[in-house]
Amino acid sequence: MKIEQACVECIINQSAKVASSIDADEKLSNELVSTIKEMSRDFSYNDNPPEIASYVYETMSKIAKKDDLYDEMKKISTQKALSFVPVLKQKLSLSPNKLLSATKIAVAGNVIDLAAEVEFDLGEELQMVFDTEFAHNDFEKLQKELKEAKNVVILGDNVGEHIFDYMFVEVLKELYKDINFHYFVRGRPIINDVTIKEAMECGFDKLCDIVDSGVDTPGFVYTRATTEAKEIFDKADLVISKGMGNYECLSPSHRKNICFLLKVKCGVVATSLNQEIGDIVCKMV
């Protein structure tokens, strides 16, 4: 996906969110916002939104002299997500379709997005998601691909959401014991996306293969990935892509058998998917 004018406005608005998150004083806040507004005049409409975001967040990090702009917010998101785990595990144990329930939990967690145009309440989403149908529903196709797969890549998205991804992978490993699962994370802090640090902290290394993708964008930009990540991505029988950023970077992609799992949180992505803001999507391409 290439950026549209609405994406530019969204990215400018994110500079104000960053200023608030780091408790910037008036001078620093004004510098962050004015710098990004100035940068926006030269945004390339040949880039996708996550690529633009990488330039913007690198600039804001330098101005604020802070490598991980959302480090405190990520800790809060993780703790909040962990507080829901006991009740969700109970729901999973009683579910007649554990894979469907675990998939929906993973999608509900996708609301933890500090760069989204529209914000949703995590608790409300987790309460409603079990009774919510996928607006685009390729869940049966996903099941079919999992039955035949030997190597599966899961592209992580946001911190906090990764806690629910962990539960999702636990169920996948329980149901598909012969599959090798690879969980991809970002190569460095960008917005609130999951990196190897957060994945290790919640024990992904004991669950499956963690892959530092090397990308510095809030979405999997293939050309920016490490050689190892590209090889694993290309050889996988199935890629499960979490969130809007990964969707934006992989639409289109050079490979097939990608399942996009996401919550629609902006009008541009809604139009691309022919869905509404607030819809949950399970789409195979």
Side-chain angles (χ1 to χ4, degrees):
M1 288 178 56
K2 304 303 181 187
I3 66 164
E4 299 182 13
Q5 185 57 40
C7 305
V8 175
E9 293 167 6
C10 178
I11 290 171
I12 293 172
N13 288 338
Q14 287 175 43
S15 62
K17 286 186 179 182
V18 166
S20 175
S21 175
I22 64 175
D23 294 322
D25 59 25
E26 185 177 0
K27 181 182 178 182
L28 177 55
S29 180
N30 289 337
E31 184 178 1
L32 286 167
V33 175
S34 62
T35 300
I36 302 315
K37 281 184 178 178
E38 185 67 28
M39 282 183 69
S40 71
R41 297 176 183 175
D42 297 319
F43 286 169
S44 170
Y45 283 79
N46 290 318
D47 288 338
N48 59 47
E51 287 177 305
I52 296 293
S54 71
Y55 311 136
V56 166
Y57 277 84
E58 181 181 10
T59 298
M60 288 195 289
S61 290
K62 289 178 180 176
I63 293 171
K65 297 181 174 60
K66 186 175 176 65
D67 182 52
D68 192 344
L69 292 165
Y70 280 123
D71 53 354
E72 292 303 316
M73 292 293 289
K74 289 196 289 187
K75 290 175 185 176
I76 293 169
S77 295
T78 298
Q79 290 304 312
K80 186 172 184 179
L82 286 168
S83 72
F84 290 104
V85 169
V87 67
L88 291 174
K89 283 195 170 183
Q90 185 178 25
K91 282 180 175 284
L92 275 176
S93 69
L94 300 173
S95 174
N97 189 334
K98 288 187 74 171
L99 178 62
L100 178 60
S101 294
T103 303
K104 285 189 173 182
I105 288 170
V107 174
N110 187 230
V111 303
I112 306 174
D113 187 345
L114 300 181
E117 174 187 331
V118 178
E119 296 181 3
F120 297 88
D121 182 83
L122 178 60
E124 289 179 4
E125 290 299 314
L126 289 169
Q127 200 167 26
M128 296 186 304
V129 75
F130 296 100
D131 299 315
T132 303
E133 297 298 324
F134 287 112
H136 187 111
N137 192 350
D138 284 340
F139 180 72
E140 289 187 1
K141 292 181 181 179
L142 172 61
Q143 280 185 303
K144 181 178 181 295
E145 293 300 329
L146 283 166
K147 287 178 182 177
E148 299 173 359
K150 294 298 181 186
N151 286 284
V152 172
V153 162
I154 299 167
L155 300 177
D157 192 21
N158 301 315
V159 171
E161 178 182 353
H162 76 299
I163 300 298
F164 305 117
D165 289 348
Y166 187 97
M167 297 177 68
F168 179 46
V169 177
E170 278 188 315
V171 171
L172 287 171
K173 284 177 62 69
E174 176 188 336
L175 298 177
Y176 304 97
K177 293 179 171 57
D178 294 331
I179 295 180
N180 295 314
F181 291 98
H182 311 271
Y183 189 70
F184 276 39
V185 297
R186 309 294 185 233
R188 62 178 299 275
I190 177 73
I191 315 183
N192 64 322
D193 284 30
V194 62
T195 68
I196 198 161
K197 175 179 178 289
E198 293 86 19
M200 293 287 286
E201 286 173 349
C202 78
F204 262 100
D205 56 316
K206 300 177 181 66
L207 183 66
C208 63
D209 177 31
I210 305 176
V211 179
D212 184 334
S213 67
V215 303
D216 57 354
T217 49
F220 184 72
V221 176
Y222 180 85
T223 55
R224 296 193 184 195
T226 65
T227 300
E228 177 194 16
K230 287 177 182 175
E231 289 177 355
I232 295 171
F233 181 83
D234 288 338
K235 291 179 181 178
D237 302 304
L238 170 67
V239 171
I240 298 175
S241 167
K242 295 290 309 297
M244 292 199 312
N246 288 320
Y247 171 76
E248 289 165 344
C249 292
L250 294 172
S251 300
S253 171
H254 65 276
R255 66 155 293 151
K256 302 298 182 184
N257 274 28
I258 301 177
C259 179
F260 294 106
L261 294 177
L262 61 119
K263 175 89 170 178
V264 180
K265 293 165 290 191
C266 85
V268 174
V269 171
T271 299
S272 173
L273 287 164
N274 196 28
Q275 303 298 332
E276 302 291 332
I277 292 177
D279 285 343
I280 59 173
V281 169
C282 175
K283 179 176 182 178
M284 286 289 308
V285 295

